[in-house]
Amino acid sequence: MSKTFQRTARLLCLMALAAAVSACLGVRGRPRFGALRTDSRPLQFRHDIQLYTVENGITVALLPDKRTNLVTVDARYLVGASDDPAGRAGMAHLVEHLTFEARTGTNQATLADRLSEAALQHNAFTTHDVTHYTATALASRLADVLELEAQRLEVSCEQLDDAVFSRERDVVLEEDAERSTTWSNLHREVARAVWGEHHPYARGLGTHEVANATKDEACRFIGKHYAPDRLMLVVTGDFDPAPVAKAIGKRFARAGWKSEAARAPVQEARLTGTRSRHLADIDDAVAMVFFQAPAWGGEDAVLNTLALGQMNRVLARADEEHDWITDVDVTTDGAGRARLILVTVEVDDPRRLDDAVDEVFERAPAMFDEVSPYAAASLLGQLQTGYVASYESFSARGTWLGDYLTYTRHENFMMPELETVARTSMVDAASYARARFVQTKSHVALVKPSGKPATTSREAVASGREPDLAPWRAPVDVMEAQRPLPAPPARARDTVEELKLENGLRVLLAPDSTSALVDVRLVFPYGAASDPPEFRGRATAAAGLLEPDPNRRYPASDVLLLGWGMSIGTQLDIDVSETSTVFWARGASNLADWHVWRLSWLIDQCGYQGEAVSTFRANAMGASAKDVDPAEALSRELLFGDGHPYATPPPTGEAWSWLTRDELERYRLTHYVPRGATLIVTGGFDVEAMRKHVRALFAYWSDDPAATPATLPAARPAPGPSWVGTRDASRTQVGLAVTFATASDPDRDQAARLVLREMVTDRLRIVREGMGASYGVQVSYTAGTGGGALYIESELEPVRAAKAATAIVSELEALRTGAGAMAEGFVRARRRVLASALADVAGVTARAERLEYGVRRGLPADHSDQLALAISKITPAEVAAVAAADLDPRRMVVSVGAASARLNEVMTALQATGPRIFDKEKAP
């Protein structure tokens, strides 16, 4: 079907709809369109990726971006779990860890140590096909990060200590245990039935097979696979391509060897209509239906992506229609070289498993049969937006480009997909679905609950001993703690034009002529904090249930414009936080004015439909309070006080009895008003035209009285320390959360909080790097109008849990009493925090998020500069004051989840007094 015919068919459909309705407008006036027209505006998009190959075989992709002061270096090796040796599943993942542990300098620092000094963040992941390393740094450190990646390529066995190898092998097993669930174990069993017992994709990415692996085995694996002809290097961000290309060619060309092993072959799964049956320790029975999918970037990749989205929508309707379906999901299985579509349907009765499978086979082939022309255009428009947004995303684009380099003819990157989207019709999509989603080309796995609770797996670690290693830290001048750092230069302000309409609406216009994306946000200063106790959940329901009236009648001219506006593929979303509600729209920049219109139409013309409200109310009232974790509920009560909104579980049952269409409409009329609201438009658009367009759409909006934003009561933490435990036989590790109800001010003390958090993170490196007792420890602050908390959380290896938990609490107490004297730790932490504060992430969405954050918090435009300056001037005494306030044991709640014996060990080691212990509900 030609594009001209598709557009004509869509207009004829809309004209027929217009002829079938009258001009009765109901209560609200006609929708406003301003100067909008249904004109054809092709998306103008080009990428700036420069691609070349170094003489020794390294593939390099450079993507400069002057909208940021950051760079990201992604190094991808064509080796993954598929290449694991027989009997050593998990070796590629282990080697990923080990390359960070190579000592690369004269001061005994590891590659990870030096990356931590040079980069703001670094990480890695292993799939069945690849091992991918990534690091993000300020642009001034690009040469340092590239040098470290070159040294990773040159890693040798002599650079790996025996003790560090043993520790990191244990950490890999702990990571696997942390991620291991009943569902992950079930999936590995089903994978063997679908892919075949010996297929590479049937292996786990991490398994206990590496428990006995030796350093020599790991080194041989590195020697065979880590070679220039297996390396893809992607550099994005603020740099000049020519000198960077020259530097890469000169430095990386030193590596002249070739990989010694061929890549493991990967065959497509052969699906022939077979079935397998399984038992698992799960609550609900589940049907898992597998269909063939094209390889990543393959010829039918666009149609497959389109089908995945539509299948989710079709099965969501099945979930709504049948009470016996408890959950549905559609995703992919396998990896880039061979993929499957996995449809999962959970049911409340194992006897309905065959019915669930029938639903899939009935609905999947016909998923596109009833898609209207303008709905089809919307699906394709959203798909186009998704491709452009992936290119725009600074944080994800390195991985995204790596996938193109790995699986496609990468010279064109996503341009073929965009061209395919432009010429795809629903005829193509329907043909694809009918050919792909059939029983004879599937595999069905039927899983019934075993009736047994999940139980903990192994507790023994690989080494059988507890390491006692000292984490490396860069030497610093301790006298630096006594003086401020040089004042950071003020950053060039983004071009943002601010308007104030007569009705009180604030408008921020932030153009970006280089972007093919537009991001639009309408921010209201009301959120969950505005819900009175008798109306809990009102703000969320009001935003989520706002929708068009299907019985509303419009004149023919309006129907034509409405249909066009609904068909352009605007991506819509909402976010309700404590103090704000954000309506969000995103789409291709060639239709920026239409994406802005979608938000104005949503607020002006949409309302609450009786059937949707009744359905939501029935489902909400039917939800069970039993889903609340009693240990977590008690912990929140101890942190914030009995009856505090933060300690109150989400509403269930009769707590939703207030929900009516009239109550939601009252909320809309008093809270979704222009005074106090802010419209943010970022991306590729003409400022003058957008200014006129915004006035045409929003200036009419009546300036109704706005509700007063609510405030929450202050937290009233219980006198501590308090101890909460959960006996849980299914846990493979010991969960530990040490939480403090904070006493510092989140705004006034923000700089000191950031430095303290970094000091806590650094000192708790002993848990992983010193003791090998955990995959990691996470440290975070949360803050709200009713109080905040400092969270220190980790999953601990059971044998070492008591010692590690004691060390964590001891380190926190040392910081509480002595942070002001920890000069070295302060110097390192302040440097890292300042570097992070100076970072400006590129991209339209990142810019919109910065502006939204400032609007929600009422911050000035130069807040980031003010924060950086405050960090540069912060003193040890100021950090010590925040440490004394926020690490006060009288405001501390320690929560432990573990199998019974380990729980007792940890509580005893911590000298817990009067712990409250809960038992996880056992399966029937």
Side-chain angles (χ1 to χ4, degrees):
M1 183 185 293
S2 70
K3 284 186 287 184
T4 302
F5 183 80
Q6 291 178 57
R7 184 168 181 268
T8 302
R10 177 171 61 187
L11 296 180
L12 289 173
C13 176
L14 297 175
M15 291 173 67
L17 176 62
V21 299
S22 74
C24 175
L25 298 178
V27 177
R28 292 196 176 100
R30 289 179 59 178
R32 296 176 180 268
F33 296 96
L36 288 171
R37 296 290 182 270
T38 58
D39 53 333
S40 178
R41 296 179 236 164
L43 174 66
Q44 302 297 321
F45 175 81
R46 66 178 181 83
H47 68 71
D48 296 318
I49 304 166
Q50 301 180 27
L51 184 69
Y52 65 95
T53 303
V54 181
E55 290 182 1
N56 58 3
I58 299 175
T59 299
V60 181
L62 304 179
L63 177 52
D65 189 340
K66 293 299 182 181
R67 298 173 299 174
T68 179
N69 62 355
L70 300 176
V71 290
T72 293
V73 176
D74 289 84
R76 171 172 291 200
Y77 289 86
L78 295 180
V79 56
S82 297
D83 303 291
D84 288 340
R88 286 289 183 262
M91 179 61 79
H93 184 211
L94 173 60
V95 163
E96 171 212 309
H97 280 240
L98 293 175
T99 63
F100 282 108
E101 303 307 321
R103 300 198 184 278
T104 60
T106 58
N107 57 4
Q108 293 300 296
T110 66
L111 191 69
D113 293 328
R114 297 177 66 193
L115 273 171
S116 295
E117 294 298 311
L120 300 178
Q121 59 186 23
H122 62 88
N123 210 335
F125 63 83
T126 301
T127 72
H128 281 94
D129 290 344
V130 303
T131 305
H132 190 107
Y133 302 90
T134 184
T136 299
L138 291 171
S140 59
R141 303 302 300 269
L142 175 58
D144 299 324
V145 176
L146 286 172
E147 171 60 29
L148 293 173
E149 283 305 328
Q151 292 183 18
R152 191 194 307 275
L153 178 61
E154 298 167 344
V155 164
S156 67
C157 211
E158 291 72 24
Q159 296 170 281
L160 292 170
D161 297 346
D162 291 340
V164 171
F165 169 82
S166 178
R167 180 206 68 198
E168 210 58 30
R169 185 181 57 186
D170 286 354
V171 168
V172 165
L173 295 174
E174 289 155 18
E175 179 184 355
D176 181 44
E178 181 177 327
R179 296 176 178 177
S180 178
T181 66
T182 299
W183 280 97
S184 62
N185 296 334
L186 168 63
H187 189 270
R188 281 194 287 270
E189 178 184 325
V190 174
R192 290 191 292 271
V194 176
W195 291 98
E197 188 72 27
H198 303 292
H199 194 283
Y201 288 177
R203 305 175 189 170
L205 295 176
T207 76
H208 208 62
E209 287 185 8
V210 296
N212 297 318
T214 65
K215 188 175 78 170
D216 287 343
E217 287 179 287
C219 292
R220 285 196 297 271
F221 189 90
I222 293 172
K224 288 182 178 180
H225 298 284
Y226 276 63
D229 56 329
R230 292 284 188 91
L231 174 59
M232 297 171 171
L233 199 63
V234 179
V235 185
T236 69
D238 182 18
F239 63 90
D240 292 325
V244 169
K246 182 178 179 181
I248 289 173
K250 181 179 180 180
R251 176 62 182 89
F252 283 81
R254 297 181 195 173
W257 60 92
K258 298 282 187 181
S259 55
E260 300 177 8
R263 296 222 63 190
V266 172
Q267 304 296 327
E268 288 189 347
R270 296 183 66 244
L271 307 184
T272 58
T274 54
R275 291 195 175 199
S276 58
R277 299 183 184 275
H278 311 265
L279 287 177
D281 302 334
I282 55 178
D283 294 329
D284 287 342
V286 61
M288 305 171 72
V289 186
F290 294 83
F291 299 99
Q292 201 73 54
W296 200 100
E299 184 176 350
D300 290 332
V302 167
L303 288 171
N304 183 68
T305 303
L306 195 64
L308 285 173
Q310 183 65 2
M311 177 81 88
N312 265 307
R313 286 181 282 271
V314 166
L315 289 181
R317 289 198 293 271
D319 190 5
E320 293 174 359
E321 294 170 9
H322 299 303
D323 292 340
W324 50 271
I325 296 179
T326 59
D327 196 16
V328 297
D329 186 47
V330 182
T331 185
T332 57
D333 188 65
R337 288 186 283 175
R339 297 195 302 170
L340 297 173
I341 297 168
L342 169 56
V343 181
T344 303
V345 182
E346 292 184 39
V347 297
D348 61 4
D349 186 343
R351 292 172 295 185
R352 303 305 298 259
L353 282 172
D354 287 335
D355 295 333
V357 174
D358 291 342
E359 287 286 331
V360 174
F361 287 133
E362 179 182 343
R363 294 176 186 253
M367 69 173 77
F368 293 106
D369 287 2
E370 297 182 5
V371 177
S372 66
Y374 64 86
S378 180
L379 294 177
L380 292 167
Q382 290 188 25
L383 191 57
Q384 173 186 263
T385 298
Y387 279 111
V388 175
S390 296
Y391 176 83
E392 268 281 324
S393 173
F394 181 78
S395 60
R397 63 167 51 148
T399 300
W400 183 74
L401 290 176
D403 286 340
Y404 276 102
L405 296 173
T406 304
Y407 301 117
T408 70
R409 293 176 302 187
H410 44 259
E411 291 85 352
N412 295 317
F413 293 92
M414 70 176 182
M415 300 308 294
E417 283 93 333
L418 288 175
E419 293 169 1
T420 300
V421 171
R423 63 173 182 265
T424 294
S425 71
M426 287 303 102
V427 173
D428 303 321
S431 297
Y432 178 83
R434 292 195 178 280
R436 181 79 56 169
F437 300 101
V438 295
Q439 187 168 354
T440 56
K441 299 178 182 179
S442 72
H443 177 86
V444 175
L446 301 177
V447 187
K448 293 183 179 181
S450 66
K452 298 183 295 185
T455 56
T456 186
S457 63
R458 66 183 185 278
E459 289 194 352
V461 292
S463 65
R465 60 179 182 270
E466 298 181 6
D468 185 17
L469 303 173
W472 179 89
R473 292 179 173 89
V476 295
D477 176 9
V478 295
M479 297 306 296
E480 185 180 305
Q482 305 305 316
R483 57 180 182 268
L485 294 173
R491 280 167 282 192
R493 297 262 68 81
D494 291 337
T495 302
V496 179
E497 178 175 315
E498 181 170 351
L499 309 174
K500 195 67 172 285
L501 303 188
E502 291 182 0
N503 57 15
L505 178 67
R506 182 188 183 201
V507 181
L508 302 178
L509 303 178
D512 180 354
S513 60
T514 67
S515 178
L517 197 69
V518 66
D519 190 306
V520 190
R521 304 184 184 206
L522 185 56
V523 185
F524 294 100
Y526 310 100
S530 298
D531 295 341
E534 66 273 20
F535 292 130
R536 287 190 301 130
R538 186 177 61 173
T540 300
L545 292 173
L546 194 63
E547 62 178 336
D549 182 354
N551 299 315
R552 176 76 183 276
R553 297 181 176 183
Y554 298 96
S557 58
D558 286 355
V559 170
L560 182 63
L561 289 167
L562 282 169
W564 180 269
M566 300 301 165
S567 71
I568 62 171
T570 306
Q571 294 180 343
L572 295 174
D573 205 351
I574 59 171
D575 178 50
V576 181
S577 65
E578 183 181 80
T579 58
S580 65
T581 296
V582 182
F583 292 95
W584 175 78
R586 185 170 68 171
S589 59
N590 59 316
L591 296 167
D593 48 1
W594 278 102
H595 302 311
V596 174
W597 169 82
R598 279 301 296 270
L599 289 190
S600 73
W601 176 81
L602 181 70
I603 299 301
D604 177 44
Q605 295 288 308
C606 293
Y608 304 100
Q609 309 311 311
E611 182 178 353
V613 173
S614 298
T615 300
F616 182 91
R617 183 173 180 267
N619 291 338
M621 293 184 70
S624 174
K626 293 181 179 179
D627 295 335
V628 176
D629 181 347
E632 181 181 349
L634 176 60
S635 295
R636 297 183 71 82
E637 180 182 313
L638 293 168
L639 285 169
F640 300 109
D642 185 18
H644 191 280
Y646 294 170
T648 304
T652 57
E654 288 301 316
W656 284 101
S657 60
W658 63 267
L659 182 60
T660 65
R661 181 179 177 181
D662 288 344
E663 183 56 45
L664 292 177
E665 188 62 28
R666 279 193 291 271
Y667 183 90
R668 187 187 74 82
L669 291 174
T670 56
H671 292 77
Y672 298 163
V673 296
R675 192 159 300 279
T678 301
L679 177 70
I680 302 169
V681 187
T682 63
F685 61 87
D686 178 78
V687 175
E688 183 177 355
M690 184 58 70
R691 189 188 309 120
K692 294 178 180 178
H693 183 57
V694 167
R695 289 189 180 278
L697 294 181
F698 291 94
Y700 78 94
W701 198 358
S702 62
D703 184 14
D704 295 324
T708 302
T711 57
L712 296 181
R716 304 179 306 278
S722 302
W723 313 88
V724 181
T726 301
R727 282 187 286 257
D728 184 355
S730 67
R731 273 194 167 272
T732 56
Q733 292 191 296
V734 175
L736 176 71
V738 183
T739 313
F740 297 87
T742 52
S744 64
D745 185 275
D747 295 318
R748 185 184 64 249
D749 298 321
Q750 185 180 8
R753 279 185 167 202
L754 292 172
V755 174
L756 174 62
R757 185 185 67 184
E758 183 60 36
M759 291 178 71
V760 173
T761 300
D762 184 64
R763 289 188 69 92
L764 294 185
R765 289 169 57 196
I766 61 167
V767 177
R768 172 176 172 162
E769 298 175 40
M771 303 166 63
S774 173
Y775 177 51
V777 182
Q778 293 74 47
V779 184
S780 62
Y781 268 103
T782 63
T785 59
L790 173 59
Y791 289 88
I792 299 93
E793 301 170 288
S794 186
E795 292 286 327
L796 304 174
E797 191 277 318
V799 174
R800 306 170 187 173
K803 182 177 180 180
T806 302
I808 289 173
V809 174
S810 297
E811 290 292 337
L812 295 174
E813 176 62 14
L815 276 164
R816 181 183 73 86
T817 58
M822 298 177 181
E824 289 189 20
F826 171 83
V827 169
R828 295 189 192 96
R830 186 173 61 170
R831 285 180 182 178
R832 284 194 287 267
V833 169
L834 180 58
S836 295
L838 293 173
D840 281 329
V841 179
V844 165
T845 295
R847 192 178 188 189
E849 288 173 351
R850 287 197 298 270
L851 291 172
E852 180 196 319
Y853 177 77
V855 168
R856 288 192 289 108
R857 298 293 303 274
L859 300 174
D862 64 345
H863 168 71
S864 57
D865 287 338
Q866 292 182 17
L867 177 60
L869 183 60
I871 293 168
S872 71
K873 293 180 177 180
I874 203 73
T875 66
E878 291 172 298
V879 175
V882 170
D886 288 355
L887 297 175
D888 187 346
R890 294 171 298 180
R891 303 166 70 92
M892 179 177 74
V893 178
V894 178
S895 179
V896 182
S900 180
R902 295 302 181 189
L903 178 63
N904 294 337
E905 286 181 11
V906 173
M907 287 295 189
T908 300
L910 292 174
Q911 300 180 4
T913 56
R916 291 278 302 276
I917 307 298
F918 297 87
D919 284 296
K920 183 178 179 182
E921 184 178 357
K922 294 180 173 61

